Amino acid sequence: TPTLQYSQAGGEAQLYIRGVGSNLLAVGADPSVAIHQDGVYLGRPSMGMNQFLDVARVEVLRGPQGTLYGRNATGGTINLISQMPTREAQGYAMAGFGENDRIELKGAYGGPLSDVVSFRIAARSVKDEGYTEDLDPRGTNNIDDQDMQAYRGILRIEPGENLRIDLQYDHSDWESGNTSIVPTDNLGAAPLLGAVPTGSIHRTRNNTPSFMRWTTGGPTATLEWTVNEAATMTYIYGQRDFEMDFLFNTDGTEAEVTRTTTIFDTSQRSHELRFASRGDTPLQWIFGGYYLDEDKFGALGLVRLNLATPGVFIIPAVNDTEATAVFAQATYAITPTLRFTAGIRRSEEEKDDFNQQINVFQSAVNPIEQIRLGLYGNLVRPPAATTRTGSKKWTAWTPRFGLDWKATDDVLLYASYTRGFKSGGYNSYQPSNPVYQPEYITSYEVGVKSDWFDQKLRVNAAAFWYDYSDLQVTSFFQSLTLVTNAADSTVKGIDLDVLANPIEGLDLGFALSWLDATYDDFLFPYGVCRPAVINDPTCRGIALNQPRALDVSGNTLNNAPEIKGNVFAQYTFELGGAGRLSVLGQYSYTDDIYFNAANDPNQRQKAYSVADARIAYTTPSGALEVAAWGKNLTDEDYFHNIVQFTSTSNPPTLPGPGGVITDPFSIGNGLGYPAPGRTWGVDVTYRF
């Protein structure tokens, strides 16, 4: 799916579809792309994007969603569907090893327990030493590594033909030495304090004993009841908990400049009830209701050393979200080949927020330990510098209309109009700054889905136009991230997907996206008008020490490459009675990506390409498979994300009056997150 962009920052997954997504790192923020695991909306994307445990399939729905199920989303929805219990006993076991001392074990088994009950259990463990080498003995031994264990159990109860109940529970633990970052500009103080580049984005000098730990999981209950010949009822209950704790070297060097520690804890409960039509009638319909209650606690600790204003900042935040919605959609067959669809959703979301900023300047207590004590409530705190308590409610009506025409049995043409909504929120780590407002999308889309030559060729294409208003954008301000609303943006694009099976055993694929995503009108808060730059043209009319407003109209949206595509080929050789051999190769290309609204060249990832390959042998019975694979075979260096953080002007330890100004506008040091280089592995799978 070329228009899907994935990256990570601060322990959070960041997802964009067709240029619409979110890089908000805040307790009170919601993603623009929704993640559903077996029908349950996951409030934090990291709850579902790391485990990939016993997955049956992944669905990517592009564009605004909301009139069918779950929570509303402006960018799109990703559905993760687990393997469910079967009436026949079956399972598999896999063992793999590879680059960076990687060891992966996973397996699943299930079948009937009785005529009424069946089950499935699955587990996965993966561990590696990381794809980045830490050259500083003061830091963690491993970085960009992982140590993950996950398991899931499912019971399926079918007391009769008209009723099915699925009960499941899953849990995952993940731990690492956190991730590396690489400065992308000269605005940080670290070089002036003696930090030396390593010469490779996969080498770092991390002087911090950094770490990241998280756990997530919970129960899901799904009930499907065939009410009668005309209708079915579905009820889904989900509960998810997510806890994260990390210590991070925020400046990415061996110099003592900044460190960040974060605690995050969320617990959510959701209920969804749907009624849907059955049978082959001209009118197909679905309606239902949704409720989500999400309680979140987060705390940010920031250490600033060797700076003009050194100290320790502790910012605890509590945010409770209550979201309710009712939705309905109906499709009517005007003729046997022409159908009209109409849907509507009413969303109401309320957020209660509490926030404090506590300034604890350096003392005899170790700064890192001081933060951790303070966040856990064991430190006698001085008076809070800033406290905020607030509550806001937003409501929205979001309709959908569509028309599709089956020109032939193998060609479907469609057009749609959809409205999307995402609620506003609080700047959880900026208590002195205001609430940001909801964002909206109006989407117009036309497309074709088609099969040709006895289904040997499939061609799907779509053209879309988004009117994107009040989108929520992150900037760096006063040593922390700040979320504001851009005025308006326009997103235009084309998706093309081609699959072909020209001869037996050969599969070919090609996917391409073109995207034109720009800000129409946006004064972006980018930096501060400090005394050294108060006479700069961008600071005219702005008071001293106030944010400057940079006109970024016409700039490209975050994480929205203009061209992105991939091509793959797979051929399966039949080896007579000796089994079969499959060879797969794929190549992907991603155009330039900007990671902030200013389109700063230091926060841009230039275009890059990645090549992957896999070869697998399967025995005649299909029970045993041995596969070797390689990713990023050309060892391409690129960043999957770039952020701006740690404004580091005026280090007082340097000579000269007031030190050296490295970041006159206080826009923050550019910091890139390296993606893995070339990796390889061997997997052995046995199915039974």
Side-chain angles (χ1 to χ4, degrees), residues 384-562:
T386 307
T387 301
R388 179 186 65 214
T389 301
S391 180
K392 290 286 291 183
K393 181 184 291 186
W394 298 275
T395 60
W397 291 88
T398 50
R400 181 181 187 275
F401 300 100
L403 195 66
D404 59 77
W405 175 47
K406 204 166 187 180
T408 70
D409 289 341
D410 296 320
V411 178
L412 177 73
L413 304 174
Y414 69 90
S416 68
Y417 163 90
T418 310
R419 179 83 164 155
F421 157 81
K422 188 180 82 168
S423 68
Y426 287 86
N427 279 286
S428 299
Y429 300 134
Q430 284 276 13
S432 60
N433 285 293
V435 172
Y436 54 89
Q437 299 304 317
E439 63 179 25
Y440 298 88
I441 280 186
T442 301
S443 165
Y444 305 88
E445 182 172 339
V446 295
V448 57
K449 298 180 182 293
S450 62
D451 288 322
W452 305 86
F453 309 115
D454 295 326
Q455 299 186 346
K456 290 186 177 297
L457 176 65
R458 171 168 293 178
V459 179
N460 296 334
F464 55 90
W465 187 89
Y466 291 169
D467 181 7
Y468 194 3
S469 59
D470 295 325
L471 66 159
Q472 298 161 4
V473 181
T474 296
S475 63
F476 177 77
F477 179 59
Q478 293 180 343
S479 301
L480 295 166
T481 56
L482 172 68
V483 181
T484 56
N485 292 94
D488 292 295
S489 296
T490 300
V491 180
K492 299 173 286 187
I494 296 174
D495 293 329
L496 175 65
D497 300 278
V498 179
L499 294 173
N501 176 222
I503 61 174
E504 189 69 27
L506 177 62
D507 294 302
L508 303 173
F510 172 73
L512 181 69
S513 69
W514 169 77
L515 200 60
D516 180 6
T518 57
Y519 297 101
D520 294 337
D521 180 19
F522 186 22
L523 293 177
F524 180 52
Y526 195 56
V528 179
C529 292
R530 302 293 189 194
V533 292
I534 193 63
N535 294 321
D536 187 270
T538 60
C539 286
R540 288 174 183 169
I542 298 175
L544 186 65
N545 294 324
Q546 293 301 305
R548 65 169 181 163
L550 198 65
D551 187 356
V552 299
S553 304
N555 283 10
T556 300
L557 269 60
N558 294 5
N559 251 322
E562 183 178 8

Side-chain angles (χ1 to χ4, degrees), residues 73-116:
T74 49
T77 292
I78 297 177
N79 292 325
L80 305 175
I81 313 297
S82 302
Q83 295 280 2
M84 289 294 167
T86 58
R87 298 303 299 170
E88 302 81 28
Q90 59 176 242
Y92 66 89
M94 189 279 279
F97 66 91
E99 185 92 359
N100 306 318
D101 295 329
R102 178 185 176 90
I103 297 177
E104 180 175 4
L105 302 171
K106 65 180 179 181
Y109 179 73
L113 292 174
S114 69
D115 292 339
V116 175

Side-chain angles (χ1 to χ4, degrees), residues 317-328:
V318 178
N319 186 275
D320 297 332
T321 298
E322 188 173 45
T324 58
V326 290
F327 52 86

Side-chain angles (χ1 to χ4, degrees), residues 37 189 204 324 375 450 603 608 676:
Q37 172 78 54
T204 187
T324 58
L375 293 185
S450 62
Q603 278 70 57
Y608 64 92

Side-chain angles (χ1 to χ4, degrees), residues 115-237:
D115 292 339
V116 175
V117 181
S118 53
F119 79 101
R120 187 175 182 91
I121 55 174
R124 179 176 181 236
S125 172
V126 59
K127 184 175 183 177
D128 63 52
E129 301 302 318
Y131 56 84
T132 299
E133 181 184 4
D134 186 4
L135 304 176
D136 194 322
R138 294 173 295 172
T140 181
N141 292 326
N142 299 318
I143 200 163
D144 289 316
D145 60 321
Q146 60 178 328
D147 185 357
M148 190 269 287
Q149 289 80 41
Y151 62 85
R152 177 187 296 118
I154 306 175
L155 278 180
R156 171 162 286 183
I157 306 169
E158 298 174 285
E161 294 183 359
N162 297 332
L163 181 63
R164 186 179 72 200
I165 302 171
D166 290 331
L167 304 175
Q168 60 176 289
Y169 183 86
D170 64 79
H171 182 85
S172 300
D173 289 286
W174 196 86
E175 186 171 357
S176 80
N178 218 312
T179 185
S180 64
I181 52 174
V182 178
T184 62
D185 55 37
N186 59 0
L187 299 184
L192 300 176
L193 294 168
V196 179
T198 65
S200 169
I201 68 170
H202 293 129
R203 287 184 172 182
T204 187
R205 291 189 177 92
N206 173 33
N207 67 322
T208 302
S210 54
F211 64 87
M212 180 188 294
R213 297 186 291 261
W214 59 253
T215 63
T216 187
T220 298
T222 304
L223 183 149
E224 292 190 5
W225 175 40
T226 303
V227 180
N228 52 40
E229 294 182 355
T232 61
M233 183 195 80
T234 302
Y235 169 73
I236 303 174
Y237 169 77

